[in-house]
Amino acid sequence: MDALLLPLIVACPLLAAGLLFMSAGRMPPLPTCVIGAGSVGLSALMAAMLATGFLRTPPPAGALHATLWSWMQVEGFNTRIAFTLDPLSLVMMLVVTGVGFLIQLYAYGYMHDDPGIARFFGCMTLFVAAMLVLVFSSDLLSLYIGWEGVGICSYLLIGFWHTDTANVAAARKAFIVTRIGDAALLCGLLLLATRAGTLDIPALLHIAATRPADLSAETAAFLLLGGAVAKSAQVPLQTWLPDAMAGPTPVSALIHAATMVTAGVYLIARLHPLFASVPAAMTAVTIIGLVTLLLAAGSALVQTDIKRILAYSTMSQIGYMFLALGAGAWQAAIFHLVTHAFFKALLFMAAGAIILRVHHRQDIYQMGGLARAMPGVFVAFLAGAAALAGLPLLTAGFYSKEMILQGAWHAAPLLWAGALLGAFATAIYIFRCLFIVFFGTRHTEPHGRTGATMAMPLACLAVLALTGGWMEMPDAIAPVHLLSHLLSPLFGAPMPEGPTWLLWAGSLVPLAGVGVAWLLWRPRIQTRAPPEDALARLARAGWDFDTLYDVLIIHPFVTLGRLNQTDICDRLSNATAATARAGGRMLGRMQSGQVRRYAGWIAAGTVVALCLGARP
Amino acid sequence: MIALPSLVLLPAAGGLAAWLSDRGPPARHLPWWIAIATILSQTLLLLFVTCTAGWSSGPWLAHFSMPWIPALGIAARMDMDGLSLVLLWLTTILSFPCVILSARDVGERPGLFHLLLLATIAGINGVFLATDLFLFFFFWELMLVPMYVLILQWGHEDRRRAAIKFFLFTQGSGLLMLVAILGLVILHQHATGVVTFDYFALADTPLMPTAAMVLMLGFFIAFAVKLPVVPLHVWLPDTHTQAPTAGSVLLAGILLKTGGYGLIRFVVLQFPDATARFTPVALAMGAAGILYGAWLSLAQDDMKRLIAYSSVSHLGFVLLGVFSGSAMGMRGAVVQMVAHGLSTGALFVIAGSLQDRLHTRDMRRMGGLWQALPHLSSIGLFFAIASLGLPGMGNFVGEFLVLLATWRISPPIAILGAAGLVLSAVYSLTMVGRAFLGSPHAGQDTDQTPPPADFGARQMTVLGLTMALLLVLGTYPQPVLDLSLPATPHAAPEMEAIHP
């Protein structure tokens, strides 16, 4: 019965997406939303049922399997469409369907008067289905279906308002940059499949655990890492995420904060024995995570667009998850993934509510003083900001970030210091945003009110962003270890906790960050212009990775392509034809019809022949 | 089995009927209806062939033989294996979009148009069935000439040049193949004293390595021009761009596949040793084709040229698969051919429909078409996504298996092929972005003229079915994979069935 539920959870949004696309926009908004949000809600309901059953009576082998059909079966290679529910996919499933459902509800309030609403909900539900395929798959190749599927949905949704060329370009950029990673991932799959003859995850992990890591295992780990880096917007393939904010805000909340961008974290966690056996890859993961979290936090400090602040913040937080993965603190990474899904979706949705009411403006310097005009949204945003900053005890973000800091301490104190610096910057940039948007003088008069379909998900997520961290606490506060207990069959026992002063440092640094933000941007002295020095401009432009890639790769490639538009091979063949034609014309000129000239040729020929004949 | 030659004769007869029907009193769309009836009965016939095939009697499923010119050892011999069957189905399925969507309003002399279209289809069916090399060559030419006339008569602005280029390239390479066939026959006669054009007999000819290499190259070049392989692809962009829509669909969807089919049947299986020695060159050419085609594709402004270069890129995978030396690569190549036929055929239908409506193929003059043509644009988006190889659609299965088979013999080549997948995303999405998305082009005089008509039920049904086929091929490719392994010439069908 439970194994039957597993494909149903995927089929529900998939069928809804098919239905919505078939309707071709002829359905009124309300039924469209009922189908879209309803199907995801139904999935969430089934997921909850499945989860309760799973937790109450765990299946014999610790996982549920559902093999659907054999996908490709050829000599020496075999792959199936098969789903598995184990503790890791259970957690992911609950996040995807639960947060997904709340965002779908919110999306109705956000999008209900858009003419393309059927297309919107079609893509959103298709996205949920693809994400679930990614999470459930027990075969890397069927995981790849979900992996690319979420990518194409992201493309369709970033470019949802497609009459604006900038949105289309942003969508294309997002897909192509992630596709570079996907190609690396595919090469990794080819390598693994050649080595093992299968892409079945348990079989691959068994090989990784039993066979010592050789060159091909190392290469495979790095290739898979390439895919994860692109999908999760980590340095150096992070440039697509800030531009992806061109999509509607619910899309940013669902795809570019809560679910799709964390797919890279999920992939590494899923294949953790493979990575753990390759120390170089683990180091690379750590360094990528640390560099991204610091660079992105630096960029977030100087952004002026509220959605871009959150986008850089997402990159930075996923950097934390990568750091945890690289340090071997698998549970911490997944824990932060979950709490981040709550508070970042909340922040995006609160930002969306603000944007709707200030005439689609996104510049924080054009907002200001909104706390009194929209107290509910303010409270929600405050809850999200507190969780993101990791304010101690009260918020979910505190517990998950604390766990990561502990893991980093165990790996290397220097990593811990870097992560702490990041936490300091996080608290500063998000409270800078909060102070500028909600306090001080009002620059734009808000209109309308936030409807119930938008307020309800905000309230739910605000509660989750505050209390969601209580499932896992340091022993110094309370010995609660629900999540790491659940995940321990996969990841083994969690790391022992460090000294208590670590906990103090982790609690005080965010508070200090909030204090600094208050000093710099408190209502009275709120500076009304973003900093304009060279460093700030560089950080605002995302450290100019875009320019670098433009100059180094895109520009030469496109220019050369343009130069060769007519195809050099083709010109060669045309030149042959032209030569033949010219030669023919030249010979044809001899046939002039003038008897005198013919006679001259005959005479000349005779003379030459006589000379040749007379020589010997 | 008499049904095999009927697969050739039926379209030819239907074409003649369509032509004759045009000579009488003018009846609206009568040749078109006759063509539809012809391909419908061809479908039934192929269904009958599939059902009555000898599934249990080995890899060769059906055969037919009849003496033709006994003095020279030439027979009208046809044999069908799984590979032929798959490609015959592809031909039959693609005839529907060809005839239903693009041949209805063809303008002057519709009878002749349908005759040529169906004659080409007859020739293609023959190519996929013939196992007598002389007969094979006959069909090879048969599919060429009508296509030449189609382009010359109904093509676009630069059709004369394109048609001549097409004819010269394919005819010239066909002559090389004829020489190679004759060489093989003569060598076979020297060795055994028997003059025969029979594929099964010739495949067993003992050959010196050099002779085998030379003969193999004769065949290879002919098929490489058709497939096409860089740098022999130069006829393709011009021809595809200038051909009428039905011609482009037929060319890209099926005619190119005869090249892949020939490579499998008459190069790899007939000269296995020479093929093995030639493999490094062929793999390099395949990777070059994938990258070069994709690179040029994204520099194009003409939509049909863009799709044509994307074909060059996609068929590079077929070359890789065929020469990967494993059954897996061969199967992947066949799936890739089928998926490419469906997706690129549909893209040409869309480009043709756009040209009918906007009178241009220049993407600089398009943009923002989604508002005016939502159905056409969304279908275009679907096939562009299929063509960039999204998993779950047929193209991915083909590309993945080919790359996996290639990785086993040469990881660097496989990595280059995978890089082609990035470029395919670039050109596909660039096409979608430039044509369908964005703001409507300033030069489009949408205010004066009535807006162009969107796809109606007829187009949506046919293309919707094509979409469904691509999805099925992508998620459940096993039937095609099982069928697609070619039967070897050394396991000839039992002799009493051949000489009744």
Side-chain angles (χ1 to χ4, degrees):
Chain A
M1 164 66 197
D2 285 352
L4 190 73
L5 224 48
L6 210 50
L8 270 183
I9 293 176
V10 180
C12 219
L14 193 63
L15 288 179
L19 203 63
L20 289 171
F21 285 133
M22 298 269 203
S23 79
R26 277 189 288 265
M27 209 186 286
L30 191 62
T32 304
C33 166
V34 169
I35 293 176
S39 64
V40 180
L42 198 60
S43 275
L45 210 65
M46 288 191 284
M49 273 167 58
L50 200 55
T52 15
F54 189 96
L55 294 177
R56 199 169 293 154
T57 48
L64 273 178
H65 300 282
T67 302
L68 297 184
W69 68 86
S70 156
W71 187 12
M72 298 177 212
Q73 195 171 12
V74 295
E75 299 77 3
F77 182 72
N78 209 335
T79 182
R80 294 169 308 158
I81 306 278
F83 292 161
T84 295
L85 187 76
D86 65 353
L88 179 58
S89 45
L90 179 91
V91 172
M92 292 297 290
M93 163 185 86
L94 290 175
V95 170
V96 172
T97 55
V99 177
F101 172 62
L102 290 176
I103 294 175
Q104 295 267 36
L105 267 191
Y106 171 91
Y108 174 68
Y110 197 88
M111 302 291 293
H112 62 85
D113 48 3
D114 194 289
I117 186 163
R119 185 161 53 92
F120 177 80
F121 272 104
C123 294
M124 286 286 266
T125 41
L126 185 65
F127 169 81
V128 172
M131 192 69 204
L132 287 170
V133 170
L134 196 164
V135 165
F136 284 149
S137 288
S138 68
D139 187 287
L140 276 181
L141 203 60
S142 68
L143 183 145
Y144 194 74
I145 300 184
W147 186 270
E148 290 261 282
V150 293
I152 204 75
C153 292
S154 155
Y155 166 79
L156 295 172
L157 285 164
I158 295 170
F160 177 73
W161 288 310
H162 54 75
T163 45
D164 188 345
T165 320
N167 295 352
V168 179
R172 192 163 61 222
K173 180 176 173 187
F175 190 79
I176 291 168
V177 174
T178 49
R179 179 87 172 182
I180 294 172
D182 295 355
L185 176 61
L186 187 68
C187 287
L189 298 194
L190 294 174
L191 177 56
L192 287 174
T194 309
R195 188 164 171 251
T198 176
L199 286 173
D200 188 43
I201 293 174
L204 287 178
L205 296 187
H206 180 72
I207 292 175
T210 50
R211 219 190 283 176
D214 50 5
L215 183 66
S216 68
E218 283 170 12
T219 319
F222 274 99
L223 288 170
L224 296 177
L225 176 60
V229 162
K231 204 59 145 192
S232 293
Q234 300 291 293
V235 173
L237 293 175
Q238 84 287 26
T239 55
W240 63 271
L241 187 61
D243 290 359
M245 295 299 122
T249 308
V251 173
S252 311
L254 179 62
I255 301 185
H256 305 114
T259 52
M260 183 189 88
V261 286
T262 56
V265 178
Y266 170 78
L267 180 74
I268 297 179
R270 171 59 76 202
L271 299 174
H272 66 98
L274 186 75
F275 280 87
S277 67
V278 184
M282 292 291 274
T283 316
V285 174
T286 320
I287 292 173
I288 288 171
L290 186 65
V291 169
T292 309
L293 94 84
L294 291 175
L295 283 185
S299 285
L301 269 174
V302 289
Q303 296 300 317
T304 55
D305 181 320
I306 187 167
K307 284 184 73 179
R308 284 178 94 89
I309 295 178
L310 296 177
Y312 278 108
S313 156
T314 304
M315 272 157 66
S316 171
Q317 296 302 307
I318 297 172
Y320 272 107
M321 297 173 210
F322 267 63
L323 180 68
L325 292 171
W330 317 108
Q331 285 99 337
I334 298 300
F335 187 24
H336 199 57
L337 191 161
V338 174
T339 57
H340 175 256
F342 295 153
F343 64 69
K344 192 51 69 64
L346 171 64
L347 283 170
F348 264 115
M349 283 160 43
I354 299 168
I355 291 167
L356 266 197
R357 291 180 60 182
V358 295
H359 316 279
H360 289 279
R361 292 203 175 117
Q362 304 194 0
D363 187 343
I364 52 172
Y365 288 101
Q366 293 183 352
M367 299 173 182
L370 294 179
R372 242 162 306 143
M374 38 180 96
V377 176
F378 171 60
V379 171
F381 197 91
L382 182 65
L388 171 61
L391 298 190
L393 298 181
L394 261 180
T395 65
F398 168 70
Y399 296 104
S400 55
K401 200 171 284 178
E402 192 49 44
M403 205 166 160
I404 292 179
L405 287 172
Q406 300 266 0
W409 174 261
H410 278 286
L414 199 63
L415 290 180
W416 173 81
L420 207 61
L421 180 66
F424 184 58
T426 307
I428 299 181
Y429 70 68
I430 194 62
F431 276 90
R432 160 183 178 259
C433 173
L434 185 126
F435 292 147
I436 292 178
V437 170
F438 288 102
F439 296 159
T441 44
R442 215 176 265 183
H443 290 256
T444 306
E445 211 46 50
H447 66 99
R449 53 193 312 272
T450 305
T453 48
M454 289 167 74
M456 218 264 291
L458 280 179
C460 292
L461 280 175
V463 172
L464 283 173
L466 294 178
T467 62
W470 294 349
M471 56 182 148
E472 181 80 29
M473 290 186 184
D475 281 332
I477 297 173
V480 188
H481 295 291
L482 293 179
L483 188 73
S484 48
H485 182 71
L486 174 68
L487 293 175
S488 60
L490 243 74
F491 296 135
M495 293 185 175
E497 278 165 32
T500 323
W501 66 267
L502 284 182
L503 199 59
W504 281 105
S507 333
L508 292 179
V509 160
L511 289 174
V514 177
V516 169
W518 177 256
L519 287 178
L520 287 175
W521 293 287
R522 69 174 182 270
R524 293 281 158 69
I525 60 158
Q526 224 174 64
T527 33
R528 295 312 320 183
E532 279 304 339
D533 55 300
L535 183 69
R537 269 207 297 272
L538 187 67
R540 192 170 305 130
W543 310 102
D544 269 345
F545 277 91
D546 276 330
T547 323
L548 186 74
Y549 294 157
D550 266 350
V551 172
L552 280 187
I553 301 167
I554 301 167
H555 196 65
F557 190 74
V558 171
T559 315
L560 279 177
R562 285 268 144 199
L563 282 178
N564 194 20
Q565 191 183 25
T566 46
D567 192 350
I568 185 108
C569 302
D570 196 17
R571 262 186 286 174
L572 281 179
S573 81
N574 286 347
T576 319
T579 319
R581 211 175 301 133
R585 210 174 294 129
M586 210 118 77
L587 287 176
R589 213 172 285 153
M590 289 169 66
Q591 308 290 322
S592 55
Q594 288 177 310
V595 181
R596 259 182 306 163
R597 197 168 284 183
Y598 291 170
W601 278 112
I602 292 170
T606 317
V607 170
V608 171
L610 281 176
C611 290
L612 285 176
R615 208 169 38 171
Chain B
M1 178 157 46
I2 189 71
L4 294 189
S6 317
L7 277 171
V8 180
L9 294 175
L10 181 72
L16 280 178
W19 182 51
L20 289 176
S21 76
D22 199 28
R23 320 203 71 172
R28 198 169 150 66
H29 295 317
L30 185 57
W32 185 64
W33 283 111
I34 292 178
I36 288 189
T38 310
I39 54 172
L40 272 177
S41 36
Q42 185 187 326
T43 314
L44 292 178
L45 183 60
L46 190 56
L47 203 63
F48 169 75
V49 169
T50 313
C51 293
T52 56
W55 291 101
S56 51
S57 64
W60 291 98
L61 301 176
H63 21 251
F64 168 81
S65 180
M66 196 179 95
W68 185 12
I69 312 174
L72 292 173
I74 296 172
R77 172 163 189 182
M78 293 173 160
D79 292 271
M80 184 182 82
D81 64 350
L83 174 65
S84 314
L85 187 62
V86 168
L87 291 172
L88 284 172
W89 271 110
L90 177 68
T91 312
T92 307
I93 289 169
L94 271 180
S95 321
F96 282 94
C98 244
V99 173
I100 297 182
L101 298 188
S102 33
R104 195 163 112 114
D105 304 302
V106 64
E108 81 269 31
R109 295 161 80 186
L112 184 60
F113 182 88
H114 286 97
L115 168 65
L116 295 169
L117 201 65
L118 290 170
T120 314
I121 292 175
I124 293 169
N125 281 346
V127 162
F128 289 145
L129 286 170
T131 47
D132 182 278
L133 290 188
F134 191 85
L135 187 68
F136 176 76
F137 187 75
F138 172 76
F139 285 132
W140 187 260
E141 298 294 307
L142 177 62
M143 68 182 183
L144 260 177
V145 179
M147 184 48 90
Y148 167 74
V149 182
L150 268 181
I151 300 169
L152 198 63
Q153 273 286 323
W154 284 272
H156 300 310
E157 65 280 352
D158 198 14
R159 54 180 179 258
R160 277 183 55 83
R161 203 176 71 86
I164 290 174
K165 202 169 177 183
F166 167 71
F167 196 75
L168 280 181
F169 266 85
T170 38
Q171 190 69 11
S173 61
L175 278 179
L176 272 182
M177 179 164 75
L178 183 62
V179 172
I181 291 176
L182 293 177
L184 187 62
V185 169
I186 291 168
L187 285 177
H188 184 264
Q189 192 206 1
H190 276 297
T192 61
V194 182
V195 180
T196 177
F197 280 79
D198 188 78
Y199 170 64
F200 299 94
L202 290 177
D204 291 326
T205 312
L207 286 173
M208 301 289 288
T210 328
M213 185 56 108
V214 170
L215 292 177
M216 189 277 281
L217 281 178
F219 282 96
F220 177 80
I221 291 175
F223 299 132
V225 165
K226 199 65 156 211
L227 188 58
V229 173
V230 171
L232 301 174
H233 66 281
V234 292
W235 63 273
L236 183 139
D238 281 335
T239 310
H240 280 55
T241 310
Q242 299 302 331
T245 306
S248 301
V249 176
L250 213 56
L251 270 168
I254 322 164
L255 223 64
L256 304 185
K257 279 35 178 209
T258 59
Y261 171 83
L263 283 177
I264 296 176
R265 177 84 77 221
F266 296 105
V267 174
V268 175
L269 292 177
Q270 202 165 225
F271 304 100
D273 301 327
T275 302
R277 276 178 289 141
F278 189 64
T279 296
V281 181
L283 290 184
M285 284 172 128
I290 292 172
L291 295 176
Y292 191 73
W295 183 47
L296 276 179
S297 175
L298 70 108
Q300 302 304 317
D301 291 318
D302 185 320
M303 197 174 193
K304 279 177 102 173
R305 275 189 99 81
L306 186 150
I307 304 170
Y309 275 110
S310 85
S311 291
V312 176
S313 179
H314 285 140
L315 293 168
F317 283 100
V318 173
L319 188 65
L320 282 188
V322 169
F323 276 86
S324 69
S326 61
M328 184 200 288
M330 205 80 93
R331 293 181 200 269
V334 175
V335 175
Q336 173 77 353
M337 287 203 272
V338 175
H340 171 265
L342 294 173
S343 64
T344 306
L347 280 176
F348 272 117
V349 168
I350 286 156
S353 312
L354 280 180
Q355 177 158 30
D356 291 345
R357 287 163 171 78
L358 309 172
H359 310 290
T360 181
R361 303 183 301 268
D362 192 339
M363 288 186 293
R364 285 170 299 193
R365 295 175 58 196
M366 298 180 187
L369 291 177
W370 198 295
Q371 268 99 327
L373 308 167
H375 291 170
L376 187 151
S377 305
S378 45
I379 297 229
L381 175 68
F382 179 92
F383 285 109
I385 288 174
S387 128
L388 66 80
L390 195 77
M393 303 200 201
N395 306 56
F396 175 75
V397 175
E399 284 160 11
F400 177 78
L401 288 177
V402 166
L403 287 176
L404 185 57
T406 311
W407 188 284
R408 294 193 168 171
I409 52 173
S410 167
I413 296 277
I415 290 174
L416 289 178
L421 292 183
V422 177
L423 294 183
S424 72
V426 181
Y427 65 70
S428 297
L429 296 184
T430 305
M431 182 188 83
V432 170
R434 288 176 78 180
F436 303 131
L437 309 178
S439 51
H441 189 266
Q444 278 170 21
D445 40 357
T446 39
D447 306 330
Q448 291 100 13
T449 53
D454 202 358
F455 272 174
R458 182 160 54 106
Q459 286 92 340
M460 290 307 272
T461 316
V462 176
L463 292 175
L465 287 175
T466 317
M467 285 157 73
L469 281 175
L470 264 180
L471 284 172
V472 170
L473 186 65
T475 47
Y476 190 65
Q478 203 58 45
V480 178
L481 285 177
D482 286 339
L483 275 179
S484 59
L485 197 65
T488 63
H490 308 293
E494 60 268 40
M495 296 311 275
E496 65 274 11
I498 298 163
H499 300 294

